[in-house]
Coordinates of all heavy atoms in Angstrom, one line a residue:
R14 N 24.7 -4.9 2.9 CA 25.1 -6.1 3.6 C 24.0 -7.0 3.9 O 24.2 -8.2 4.3 CB 25.7 -5.6 5.0 CG 27.2 -5.2 4.9 CD 27.6 -4.6 6.1 NE 26.9 -3.4 6.4 CZ 26.8 -2.8 7.6 NH1 27.3 -3.4 8.7 NH2 26.1 -1.7 7.8
V15 N 22.7 -6.5 3.8 CA 21.6 -7.4 4.0 C 21.3 -8.2 2.8 O 20.8 -7.7 1.8 CB 20.3 -6.6 4.4 CG1 19.2 -7.5 4.7 CG2 20.6 -5.7 5.6
T16 N 21.7 -9.5 2.8 CA 21.4 -10.4 1.7 C 19.9 -10.8 1.7 O 19.4 -11.2 2.8 CB 22.2 -11.7 1.7 OG1 22.3 -12.1 3.0 CG2 23.6 -11.4 1.1
Q17 N 19.2 -10.6 0.6 CA 17.8 -10.6 0.7 C 17.1 -11.8 0.1 O 17.1 -12.0 -1.1 CB 17.3 -9.3 0.0 CG 16.0 -8.9 0.5 CD 15.9 -8.8 2.1 OE1 16.5 -7.9 2.7 NE2 15.4 -9.9 2.7
M18 N 16.4 -12.5 1.0 CA 15.4 -13.5 0.5 C 14.1 -12.7 0.4 O 13.9 -11.7 1.1 CB 15.2 -14.6 1.5 CG 16.4 -15.5 1.8 SD 16.0 -16.8 2.9 CE 17.5 -17.5 3.2
N19 N 13.1 -13.2 -0.3 CA 11.8 -12.6 -0.3 C 11.0 -13.2 0.9 O 11.4 -14.2 1.5 CB 11.1 -12.7 -1.6 CG 10.7 -14.1 -2.0 OD1 10.5 -14.9 -1.1 ND2 10.7 -14.4 -3.3
T20 N 9.8 -12.6 1.1 CA 9.0 -13.0 2.3 C 8.7 -14.5 2.2 O 8.8 -15.2 3.2 CB 7.7 -12.2 2.3 OG1 8.0 -10.8 2.4 CG2 6.8 -12.6 3.5
K21 N 8.3 -15.0 1.1 CA 7.9 -16.4 0.9 C 9.1 -17.3 1.3 O 8.9 -18.3 2.0 CB 7.5 -16.7 -0.6 CG 6.2 -17.3 -0.7 CD 5.8 -17.5 -2.1 CE 5.7 -19.0 -2.4 NZ 5.5 -19.3 -3.9
E22 N 10.3 -17.0 0.8 CA 11.5 -17.8 1.1 C 11.8 -17.8 2.6 O 12.2 -18.8 3.2 CB 12.7 -17.3 0.3 CG 12.5 -17.5 -1.2 CD 13.5 -16.7 -2.0 OE1 14.0 -15.7 -1.5 OE2 13.7 -17.1 -3.2
I23 N 11.7 -16.7 3.2 CA 12.0 -16.5 4.7 C 11.0 -17.4 5.5 O 11.4 -18.1 6.4 CB 12.0 -15.1 5.1 CG1 13.1 -14.3 4.5 CG2 12.1 -15.0 6.7 CD1 13.0 -12.8 4.7
I24 N 9.7 -17.3 5.1 CA 8.7 -18.0 5.8 C 8.9 -19.5 5.7 O 8.9 -20.3 6.7 CB 7.3 -17.6 5.4 CG1 7.0 -16.2 5.8 CG2 6.2 -18.6 5.9 CD1 5.7 -15.6 5.3
A25 N 9.2 -20.0 4.5 CA 9.5 -21.4 4.2 C 10.6 -21.9 5.0 O 10.6 -23.0 5.6 CB 9.7 -21.6 2.7
L26 N 11.7 -21.2 5.0 CA 12.9 -21.6 5.8 C 12.7 -21.6 7.3 O 13.0 -22.6 7.9 CB 14.1 -20.6 5.5 CG 15.5 -21.0 6.0 CD1 16.0 -22.2 5.2 CD2 16.4 -19.8 5.8
S27 N 12.0 -20.6 7.8 CA 11.7 -20.5 9.2 C 10.7 -21.7 9.6 O 11.0 -22.4 10.6 CB 11.0 -19.2 9.5 OG 10.7 -19.1 10.9
D28 N 9.7 -21.9 8.8 CA 8.7 -23.0 9.1 C 9.4 -24.3 9.1 O 9.0 -25.2 9.9 CB 7.6 -23.0 8.1 CG 6.5 -21.9 8.5 OD1 6.6 -21.4 9.6 OD2 5.7 -21.6 7.7
K29 N 10.4 -24.5 8.3 CA 11.1 -25.8 8.2 C 12.0 -26.1 9.4 O 12.1 -27.2 9.9 CB 11.9 -25.9 6.9 CG 12.5 -27.2 6.7 CD 13.0 -27.4 5.3 CE 13.6 -28.8 5.1 NZ 14.4 -28.9 3.8
Y30 N 12.7 -25.0 9.9 CA 13.7 -25.2 10.9 C 13.5 -24.6 12.3 O 14.1 -25.1 13.3 CB 15.1 -24.7 10.4 CG 15.6 -25.5 9.2 CD1 15.6 -25.0 7.9 CD2 16.0 -26.8 9.4 CE1 16.0 -25.7 6.9 CE2 16.5 -27.6 8.3 CZ 16.5 -27.0 7.1 OH 16.9 -27.8 6.0
V31 N 12.7 -23.6 12.4 CA 12.5 -23.0 13.7 C 11.3 -23.6 14.4 O 10.3 -24.0 13.8 CB 12.2 -21.5 13.6 CG1 12.0 -20.8 14.9 CG2 13.4 -20.8 12.8
M32 N 11.5 -23.9 15.7 CA 10.4 -24.6 16.5 C 9.1 -23.7 16.4 O 9.1 -22.5 16.5 CB 10.9 -24.7 17.9 CG 10.2 -25.9 18.6 SD 10.9 -26.3 20.2 CE 12.4 -27.1 19.8
H33 N 8.0 -24.4 16.3 CA 6.7 -23.7 16.1 C 6.1 -23.4 17.4 O 5.1 -23.9 17.8 CB 5.8 -24.6 15.2 CG 6.2 -24.8 13.8 ND1 5.5 -25.4 12.9 CD2 7.4 -24.4 13.2 CE1 6.1 -25.4 11.7 NE2 7.3 -24.8 11.9
T34 N 6.7 -22.4 18.1 CA 6.1 -21.9 19.3 C 5.3 -20.6 19.2 O 4.6 -20.2 20.1 CB 7.2 -21.7 20.4 OG1 8.0 -20.6 19.9 CG2 8.0 -22.9 20.7
Y35 N 5.4 -20.0 18.0 CA 4.7 -18.7 17.8 C 3.7 -18.8 16.7 O 3.9 -19.4 15.7 CB 5.7 -17.6 17.4 CG 6.8 -17.4 18.4 CD1 8.1 -18.0 18.3 CD2 6.6 -16.7 19.6 CE1 9.1 -17.8 19.2 CE2 7.6 -16.5 20.5 CZ 8.8 -17.1 20.3 OH 9.8 -16.9 21.3
G36 N 2.5 -18.1 17.0 CA 1.5 -18.0 15.9 C 1.9 -16.7 15.2 O 1.4 -15.6 15.5
R37 N 2.8 -16.8 14.2 CA 3.3 -15.6 13.5 C 2.4 -15.0 12.5 O 1.6 -15.8 11.8 CB 4.7 -16.0 12.9 CG 5.8 -16.3 13.8 CD 7.1 -16.6 13.0 NE 8.0 -17.5 13.8 CZ 9.0 -17.0 14.5 NH1 9.3 -15.7 14.5 NH2 9.8 -17.8 15.1
I38 N 2.6 -13.7 12.3 CA 1.9 -13.0 11.2 C 2.8 -13.2 10.0 O 4.1 -13.1 10.1 CB 1.7 -11.6 11.6 CG1 0.6 -11.5 12.6 CG2 1.5 -10.7 10.4 CD1 0.4 -10.1 13.3
G39 N 2.3 -13.4 8.8 CA 3.1 -13.6 7.6 C 3.8 -12.4 7.1 O 3.6 -11.9 6.0
L40 N 4.7 -11.9 7.9 CA 5.4 -10.7 7.6 C 6.9 -10.8 8.0 O 7.1 -11.3 9.1 CB 4.8 -9.5 8.4 CG 5.4 -8.1 8.3 CD1 5.4 -7.5 7.0 CD2 4.7 -7.2 9.3
A41 N 7.8 -10.5 7.2 CA 9.2 -10.6 7.5 C 9.9 -9.3 7.4 O 10.4 -8.9 6.3 CB 9.9 -11.7 6.6
P42 N 10.0 -8.5 8.5 CA 10.7 -7.2 8.4 C 12.2 -7.4 8.2 O 12.8 -8.4 8.8 CB 10.4 -6.6 9.8 CG 9.3 -7.4 10.4 CD 9.5 -8.8 9.8
V43 N 12.8 -6.6 7.4 CA 14.2 -6.7 7.2 C 15.0 -5.4 7.5 O 16.2 -5.4 7.6 CB 14.6 -7.1 5.7 CG1 14.1 -8.5 5.5 CG2 14.0 -6.1 4.7
Q44 N 14.2 -4.3 7.7 CA 14.9 -3.1 8.0 C 14.0 -2.2 8.8 O 12.7 -2.1 8.5 CB 15.3 -2.3 6.7 CG 16.2 -1.2 6.9 CD 16.5 -0.4 5.6 OE1 15.7 -0.5 4.6 NE2 17.6 0.4 5.6
G45 N 14.5 -1.4 9.7 CA 13.7 -0.5 10.5 C 14.4 0.8 10.7 O 15.6 0.9 10.7
Q46 N 13.6 1.8 10.7 CA 14.2 3.2 10.9 C 13.1 4.0 11.6 O 12.0 4.2 11.1 CB 14.5 3.8 9.6 CG 15.3 5.1 9.6 CD 15.6 5.5 8.2 OE1 16.3 4.8 7.4 NE2 15.2 6.7 7.8
G47 N 13.4 4.5 12.8 CA 12.3 5.2 13.6 C 11.1 4.4 13.8 O 11.2 3.2 14.2
A48 N 9.9 4.9 13.4 CA 8.7 4.1 13.6 C 8.3 3.4 12.3 O 7.2 2.9 12.2 CB 7.6 5.1 13.9
L49 N 9.3 3.2 11.4 CA 9.0 2.6 10.1 C 9.7 1.2 10.0 O 10.8 1.1 10.5 CB 9.4 3.4 8.9 CG 8.7 4.8 8.7 CD1 9.3 5.5 7.5 CD2 7.2 4.5 8.5
L50 N 9.0 0.3 9.4 CA 9.6 -1.0 9.1 C 9.5 -1.3 7.6 O 8.5 -0.8 6.9 CB 8.9 -2.1 9.8 CG 9.3 -2.5 11.2 CD1 8.4 -3.6 11.7 CD2 10.8 -2.8 11.3
R51 N 10.4 -2.0 7.0 CA 10.3 -2.4 5.6 C 10.4 -3.9 5.6 O 11.3 -4.5 6.3 CB 11.4 -1.8 4.8 CG 11.4 -2.3 3.3 CD 11.8 -1.2 2.3 NE 13.1 -0.8 2.5 CZ 13.7 0.2 1.8 NH1 13.0 0.9 1.0 NH2 14.9 0.5 2.0

Side-chain angles (χ1 to χ4, degrees):
R14 278 170 296 160
V15 182
T16 40
Q17 206 49 79
M18 296 182 186
N19 66 31
T20 300
K21 233 178 116 189
E22 291 164 341
I23 295 171
I24 291 174
L26 189 67
S27 182
D28 278 348
K29 186 164 179 197
Y30 291 110
V31 179
M32 209 173 280
H33 290 189
T34 61
Y35 301 100
R37 294 182 203 261
I38 284 168
L40 172 67
V43 293
Q44 191 185 19
Q46 191 177 300
L49 294 178
L50 275 180
R51 178 145 63 189

